[in-house]
Amino acid sequence: MSEFRIHHDVNELLSLLHVRGGDGAEGYIDLLQKHRTPYVTTTVSAHSAKVKLAEFSKTPEDFLRKYEELKSKNVRNLDPLVYLLSKLCEDKEMLQFLQQNAKERSESSANTTSTTTTSYSLPQTSSKMSMQELDELRKKLGNVTASSNAPLPAEVTRKMLRDKHNKKNPTQPNPVFPNWVYDRPALLGDFITSPTPPGDPAVAIGTMPLAAQEQALVEDLLFVLVGVDGRDITAQPVLGRQNRSFIVDSTLDMSVKELVNRILPVASYYSTITRFIEEKSSFEYGQVNHALTAAMRTLMKEYLILVTQLEHLQRQGLLSLQKLWFYIQPTMRTMEILASIASSVDKGECMGGSTLSLLHDRTFNYTGDSQAQELCLYLTKAASVPYFEILEKWIYRGIIKDPYSEFMVEEHELQKEKIQEDYNDKYWDQRYTIVQHRIPSFLQKMADKILSTGKYLNVVRECGRDVTCPDAKEVLYTLKERAYVEQIEKSYNYASKVLLAFLMEEKELVSRLRSIKHYFLMDKGDFFVHFMDLTEEELKKPVDDIVPPRLEALLELALRMSTANTDPFKDDLKIDLMPHDVITQLLRVLAIETKQEKAIINADPADAALSGLEAFSFDYIVKWPLSLIINRKALTRYQMLFRHMFYCKHVERLLCNVWISNKDFKQYPLRSPKWFAAAFALRQRMLNFVQNIQYYMMFEVMEPTWHVMENNLKTASNIDDVLCHHTSFLDNCLKDCMLTNPELLRIFSKLMLVCVKFTNCMQRFIQSMRLSLEQGTMDGPPAQGEDAEEAERKRATTKFLAEHVDAHQSDVGFEASLSKFDSNFSMLLLDLLDKLSIYSTNDCEHSMISIIYRLDFNGFYTERLERMAIERSQKAAA
């Protein structure tokens, strides 16, 4: 079970139990993942669990009856559920909590009902209800009760199944038998029960001699055994799925009556089987049930031949009641098994794979009874033929031809052209899905491989190439599962090989991934220098003022002017302007299915004046079938990594520009540059931080992880492995770049913001200082005829302004601002290093500790970090 499925189930359970507070679902999920063990149901464990629950139950008969009913319906995972419930019964603390929880929920629901329901009162009538009205009311109530408990009529069930099929396949409507097939009961092989009981015979059979009674009953029994009422033995009407019962003349001699009652179950079995055959042979119940009824019909022919032979003996006067019992006994066991299977399929409303599961389980349950097992094996083989035909088309050609929705793999209408907008891998994960109740139990272990095999071949077919497995052989049901398991394995290996070769060689998947790496992971340095130089002014504008075609043109120019020009896939790179900045996007993603999700989604947009640089991202055009691997979800992860690194590169360029401005300004003779030295030192610390973070992300996270993925792709045996390795690469990069931890992400974004504000402040200060200096020299150098006195005056003015500019800036609070920047940056950096130290120790994220070693290479922050750790431990102890 995947982590997402566990998360969903835990949330559902907490919602059902109305559990609030605590650590939420996350705490329970961690416990489940650490302590879960695979559970394999055995007959012994299931039986002991059932006995334990029956003992615990207040009404064990009802529990056992319900268990047998669900078992007869072939309900999946029934035994694991019973085992879980038996374990819960042993935990007294858990039972006490559940009882208290149930009591609280019932009280809350009662309060809700009392406040929301409206009370009704019967109208006062002046006259009493007549007996006729009372009888009519009683009949209506009886009909309602009977209809709520009785199964739906066969006509209604057939119509529902037909409508369901026609809705799914409107171009291929279900064939329908004409109405006269159902309207003429004489065409059926079952009893025709008349609404009026037959009249009393002229002579009661009990008054006849014993020999005459026996001869009369032999004739009656031969009629009853083929679904026709006799004179002294008549069939009772059946309701729903009841077994047929019979009325025998009460005046019959007791010894004869006892022998008759032994034979009558065969007639009841015959009635059950005949009704099942007539109903389930309709098209609406699917090909598997149709094949099963055809096999049963063949067996019933042998039974009817036996009855015909007995009739021939009876006409010759050679058949007594004892002989009839002797001849019918070998058939009784066969009829009993057939009737039992028919009842189970009917009760469970089984179709397709569920019918085969029931037959397979019956075949194994009769181990030790060779005759019964051989009979069930015959039925299972016959019923599995149409199912295996669908299976063969799927695993050998990647085609589903399942007109009656019986196969384990279900196809959904999804368009591969929309995969570029798909953020949830819908096409690959939801175009073809497994339907659990349609999986035959003997194919349960191979279900995932069967699904993958057809999906692989289907992808190649979607690309216009006809593929057929060269090892295609007919798949036949057998008790030795290895026979068809080997066929499925062979077809799976072939499909994996074909699709993998198609994507790797013909579609150049690895080259595509390298191309994406060039741009999204920024390993083409000269391209990004050109691009950022060209787009610097454009990206400073608000996002609404940016003209995308202009950015596209600048991107094209940067691609042609750099080494990226040699990339054959460079034309697939596009510009994308996002609606949020990268931090907001990441926090929204991380808040999914958490307590903060609603607050973050409903928060007022803080990026109303989003700049082009904050909204900027790359996009990439990926066509089918590469879009299965490089899907929208993967591209979104690439975009988040790119935006994060691109913004870091932007902050680095801002700090470098400040450095350049400072270099230019050194030519001016300043008298007291104390604050200037502090500003230079802070700028250098910021630059050191940003450059080391970039170095860590690019050379200690992305490059090694990319190298691991490339090696894994060389050894991948199927596309699911490729998907897994690619997803793992992106997840590891996001995690190690601190993009999956909201706390680290917030601290890092604040650090970047401090750096940006510092550069803006420094640029404003340097600009104002430059303007002040230029005002003293705005007249330029002395003219050719200018006297020496005027030139000396200009030089004196320039010297005076240069000597007093620092005092002027100090007056406006520059030193205070600088001190504030320094303290904020130092505090946030220490907080980041402290949190990194905690996560690297507690969560075993050892890669993150490299940041600490790089930023604290000379032990400058070590003492403060140790002091913070001591304070934290003291608080925890207190």
Side-chain angles (χ1 to χ4, degrees):
M1 185 184 292
S2 67
E3 183 180 349
F4 298 104
R5 180 62 187 273
I6 294 174
H7 199 289
H8 172 76
D9 290 347
V10 169
N11 276 317
E12 286 289 315
L13 186 59
L14 293 178
S15 175
L16 288 171
L17 294 176
H18 299 287
V19 175
R20 298 288 184 270
D23 296 332
E26 287 76 11
Y28 298 106
I29 292 166
D30 291 340
L31 286 172
L32 281 173
Q33 289 181 325
K34 288 176 182 176
H35 298 98
R36 63 176 176 170
T37 55
Y39 168 67
V40 180
T41 312
T42 62
T43 307
V44 176
S45 62
H47 178 72
S48 61
K50 180 181 71 174
V51 171
K52 191 179 295 182
L53 275 181
E55 293 173 353
F56 183 80
S57 175
K58 294 180 180 179
T59 55
E61 296 84 3
D62 294 340
F63 166 74
L64 292 173
R65 191 182 305 113
K66 188 66 178 177
Y67 177 84
E68 294 301 331
E69 178 188 344
L70 294 174
K71 198 71 175 172
S72 68
K73 291 182 178 180
N74 200 37
V75 174
R76 296 293 177 92
N77 297 322
L78 177 62
D79 288 336
L81 175 63
V82 170
Y83 180 81
L84 173 64
L85 293 175
S86 70
K87 287 295 181 185
L88 289 176
C89 293
E90 297 173 358
D91 192 338
K92 293 182 180 180
E93 187 179 351
M94 177 64 71
L95 282 176
Q96 187 178 359
F97 169 76
L98 291 174
Q99 289 169 355
Q100 181 66 25
N101 185 273
K103 184 179 178 182
E104 291 173 359
R105 285 190 290 122
S106 62
E107 289 174 356
S108 64
S109 62
N111 293 334
T112 306
T113 306
S114 63
T115 56
T116 55
T117 55
T118 307
S119 59
Y120 293 95
S121 60
L122 290 172
Q124 297 292 330
T125 55
S126 57
S127 59
K128 294 183 178 179
M129 188 179 288
S130 65
M131 291 301 295
Q132 184 179 0
E133 291 173 339
L134 187 63
D135 288 339
E136 289 179 359
L137 180 61
R138 188 181 293 113
K139 286 179 182 178
K140 289 180 180 178
L141 290 173
N143 291 336
V144 170
T145 307
S147 63
S148 62
N149 295 327
L152 292 172
E155 296 83 0
V156 177
T157 306
R158 283 196 298 269
K159 187 177 184 304
M160 288 171 59
L161 291 171
R162 192 161 53 246
D163 292 344
K164 181 181 177 182
H165 172 270
N166 292 340
K167 185 178 179 181
K168 184 179 178 183
N169 301 303
T171 58
Q172 298 177 352
N174 244 331
V176 183
F177 283 129
N179 289 331
W180 57 264
V181 174
Y182 307 108
D183 295 340
R184 298 185 182 183
L187 293 175
L188 307 179
D190 197 18
F191 293 91
I192 302 174
T193 53
S194 58
T196 57
D200 294 334
V203 180
I205 192 169
T207 61
M208 299 169 61
L210 193 59
Q213 289 185 33
E214 187 175 343
Q215 287 300 319
L217 283 173
V218 167
E219 184 177 358
D220 268 14
L221 283 170
L222 289 174
F223 278 118
V224 170
L225 288 175
V226 293
V228 180
D229 282 332
R231 192 188 68 154
D232 301 302
I233 304 174
T234 55
Q236 290 284 87
V238 291
L239 293 175
R241 301 186 178 100
Q242 293 178 353
N243 292 327
R244 180 80 67 179
S245 59
F246 299 90
I247 299 176
V248 183
D249 195 310
S250 57
T251 62
L252 193 63
D253 183 80
M254 290 301 295
S255 61
V256 177
K257 191 174 183 179
E258 177 65 25
L259 200 53
V260 167
N261 287 334
R262 290 185 188 178
I263 299 173
L264 280 179
V266 181
S268 177
Y269 300 150
Y270 171 82
S271 175
T272 301
I273 297 165
T274 303
R275 278 181 286 136
F276 175 80
I277 290 173
E278 294 299 332
E279 180 183 352
K280 300 300 181 184
S281 58
S282 298
F283 295 108
E284 292 84 359
Y285 291 96
Q287 299 178 80
V288 171
N289 282 343
H290 187 81
L292 176 61
T293 56
M296 284 187 171
R297 204 186 296 272
T298 302
L299 294 172
M300 292 301 290
K301 286 180 182 177
E302 298 179 4
Y303 166 78
L304 293 173
I305 290 171
L306 172 64
V307 176
T308 304
Q309 291 172 348
L310 293 175
E311 287 177 355
H312 184 66
L313 290 175
Q314 190 265 340
R315 283 195 296 270
Q316 292 179 350
L318 301 176
L319 186 65
S320 64
L321 204 55
Q322 287 288 348
K323 283 185 177 180
L324 177 60
W325 169 239
F326 174 77
Y327 286 128
I328 209 73
Q329 276 189 75
T331 311
M332 181 175 281
R333 178 64 173 156
T334 301
M335 297 293 285
E336 181 185 4
I337 293 170
L338 292 177
S340 172
I341 290 172
S343 297
S344 297
V345 172
D346 199 25
K347 285 180 183 177
E349 299 177 355
C350 299
M351 284 180 62
S354 55
T355 299
L356 293 180
S357 293
L358 189 144
L359 292 171
H360 174 76
D361 293 343
R362 288 296 178 92
T363 305
F364 261 94
N365 289 341
Y366 285 127
T367 302
D369 186 345
S370 58
Q371 183 182 355
Q373 190 176 48
E374 187 178 348
L375 173 64
C376 289
L377 186 60
Y378 166 75
L379 292 174
T380 312
K381 281 183 176 179
S384 65
V385 169
Y387 193 91
F388 279 137
E389 287 177 356
I390 302 172
L391 176 66
E392 287 168 15
K393 283 189 176 70
W394 176 245
I395 64 174
Y396 292 152
R397 301 190 62 197
I399 298 173
I400 283 188
K401 192 175 182 181
D402 182 22
Y404 301 101
S405 301
E406 300 173 282
F407 191 50
M408 68 173 78
V409 179
E410 187 173 45
E411 183 178 8
H412 304 278
E413 291 297 327
L414 291 173
Q415 297 179 1
K416 64 177 181 293
E417 290 78 12
K418 292 187 177 180
I419 201 166
Q420 279 290 309
E421 290 79 36
D422 175 22
Y423 283 86
N424 299 310
D425 301 339
K426 277 187 179 179
Y427 189 87
W428 185 250
D429 291 339
Q430 298 180 25
R431 170 74 189 275
Y432 296 103
T433 56
I434 289 283
V435 183
Q436 285 295 329
H437 68 271
R438 296 185 199 165
I439 306 175
S441 53
F442 53 88
L443 291 177
Q444 183 73 49
K445 295 178 183 177
M446 304 296 295
D448 290 333
K449 282 197 174 180
I450 291 171
L451 173 66
S452 299
T453 303
K455 280 167 69 175
Y456 295 165
L457 294 175
N458 185 265
V459 169
V460 182
R461 287 181 61 81
E462 291 278 351
C463 297
R465 292 180 53 179
D466 190 18
V467 287
T468 304
C469 180
D471 298 323
K473 293 180 183 178
E474 186 180 7
V475 182
L476 298 173
Y477 174 79
T478 172
L479 288 176
K480 298 176 181 178
E481 294 184 8
R482 193 64 202 163
Y484 46 78
V485 166
E486 286 178 357
Q487 281 302 113
I488 294 170
E489 289 279 3
K490 287 179 181 177
S491 57
Y492 172 76
N493 292 334
Y494 169 76
S496 303
K497 183 180 175 182
V498 166
L499 180 58
L500 195 62
F502 181 69
L503 290 179
M504 291 290 191
E505 297 170 12
E506 190 169 329
K507 296 298 179 180
E508 300 178 281
L509 173 62
V510 176
S511 299
R512 282 279 180 179
L513 290 173
R514 285 201 191 101
S515 174
I516 289 174
K517 178 174 177 278
H518 292 332
Y519 309 116
F520 286 86
L521 304 186
M522 298 180 68
D523 77 342
K524 287 283 185 184
D526 63 324
F527 160 71
F528 280 99
V529 170
H530 283 302
F531 179 73
M532 297 183 85
D533 287 340
L534 290 170
T535 59
E536 186 172 9
E537 294 301 321
E538 189 73 17
L539 291 177
K540 285 180 182 178
K541 300 177 183 177
V543 67
D544 295 332
D545 296 340
I546 292 178
V547 182
R550 177 173 172 77
L551 274 182
E552 293 281 356
L554 294 173
L555 171 64
E556 181 76 13
L557 184 61
L559 287 170
R560 304 301 175 192
M561 290 171 59
S562 64
T563 55
N565 193 36
T566 58
D567 180 16
F569 309 115
K570 61 181 178 296
D571 294 331
D572 292 330
L573 186 67
K574 301 297 176 186
I575 297 292
D576 192 11
L577 296 175
M578 310 293 282
H580 306 287
D581 63 272
V582 63
I583 303 298
T584 305
Q585 182 187 15
L586 285 163
L587 290 176
R588 279 173 171 256
V589 171
L590 295 174
I592 293 173
E593 293 191 1
T594 64
K595 296 175 183 177
Q596 296 81 21
E597 179 178 11
K598 192 174 290 185
I600 288 179
I601 291 175
N602 296 333
D604 294 332
D607 47 6
L610 200 65
S611 70
L613 189 112
E614 291 171 319
F616 177 77
S617 180
F618 281 144
D619 201 0
Y620 202 84
I621 298 174
V622 188
K623 296 181 180 178
W624 176 266
L626 289 175
S627 49
L628 290 173
I629 308 297
I630 313 169
N631 47 46
R632 175 48 58 185
K633 185 185 285 186
L635 280 174
T636 303
R637 290 170 176 167
Y638 276 117
Q639 283 180 329
M640 289 190 288
L641 286 167
F642 167 75
R643 296 181 75 191
H644 182 60
M645 295 174 62
F646 189 76
Y647 192 72
C648 289
K649 179 61 72 176
H650 164 67
V651 174
E652 183 193 8
R653 283 171 63 89
L654 291 178
L655 289 167
C656 288
N657 289 337
V658 171
W659 177 80
I660 292 170
S661 300
N662 291 343
K663 293 276 287 183
D664 291 343
F665 201 71
K666 285 182 179 179
Q667 61 182 308
Y668 299 108
L670 295 179
R671 187 183 58 186
S672 52
K674 291 182 294 184
W675 56 266
F676 222 177
F680 284 7
L682 179 58
R683 182 214 63 219
Q684 194 57 36
R685 285 173 58 206
M686 289 180 174
L687 192 58
N688 178 67
F689 165 72
V690 174
Q691 288 176 339
N692 275 289
I693 286 289
Q694 286 186 93
Y695 182 91
Y696 161 76
M697 290 191 295
M698 296 189 71
F699 296 102
E700 295 190 21
V701 174
M702 293 179 186
E703 280 299 329
T705 315
W706 172 268
H707 183 68
V708 170
M709 183 190 74
E710 255 192 336
N711 289 337
N712 288 335
L713 290 183
K714 292 175 184 176
T715 59
S717 58
N718 55 63
I719 287 304
D720 283 304
D721 287 347
V722 173
L723 271 168
C724 181
H725 295 320
H726 186 229
T727 305
S728 177
F729 160 73
L730 290 170
D731 288 344
N732 289 334
C733 287
L734 287 168
K735 181 185 68 176
D736 291 339
C737 290
M738 302 180 289
L739 300 184
T740 58
N741 189 308
E743 195 171 9
L744 293 176
L745 195 59
R746 286 189 177 95
I747 297 171
F748 187 82
S749 65
K750 290 176 182 177
L751 274 167
M752 291 290 104
L753 187 61
V754 169
C755 294
V756 172
K757 287 184 175 180
F758 170 76
T759 58
N760 293 338
C761 181
M762 285 294 293
Q763 291 290 6
R764 283 197 303 271
F765 165 71
I766 294 169
Q767 187 67 24
S768 64
M769 192 164 55
R770 185 178 288 119
L771 286 173
S772 300
L773 291 171
E774 287 174 356
Q775 284 175 4
T777 58
M778 60 183 175
D779 295 328
Q784 191 171 6
E786 199 172 25
D787 57 0
E789 183 181 351
E790 184 65 22
E792 184 62 30
R793 186 181 65 79
K794 284 186 178 181
R795 282 195 295 272
T797 304
T798 302
K799 183 179 179 182
F800 176 83
L801 287 171
E803 288 174 350
H804 290 80
V805 69
D806 54 337
H808 171 71
Q809 292 297 333
S810 177
D811 292 339
V812 296
F814 180 75
E815 286 188 70
S817 299
L818 189 64
S819 176
K820 190 174 180 180
F821 280 127
D822 196 335
S823 61
N824 286 343
F825 180 78
S826 299
M827 181 186 68
L828 288 170
L829 183 55
L830 274 171
D831 196 15
L832 178 67
L833 295 176
D834 186 44
K835 292 293 187 296
L836 286 172
S837 177
I838 293 170
Y839 288 123
S840 62
T841 305
N842 296 349
D843 298 344
C844 299
E845 301 294 346
H846 300 305
S847 59
M848 289 186 182
I849 207 167
S850 300
I851 305 176
I852 301 176
Y853 293 146
R854 296 195 65 82
L855 296 176
D856 192 27
F857 63 94
N858 59 356
F860 181 76
Y861 300 104
T862 303
E863 184 180 346
R864 299 192 213 179
L865 289 172
E866 289 175 353
R867 195 183 309 130
M868 292 172 72
I870 292 170
E871 291 175 0
R872 189 168 52 250
S873 62
Q874 288 175 349
K875 287 181 182 178

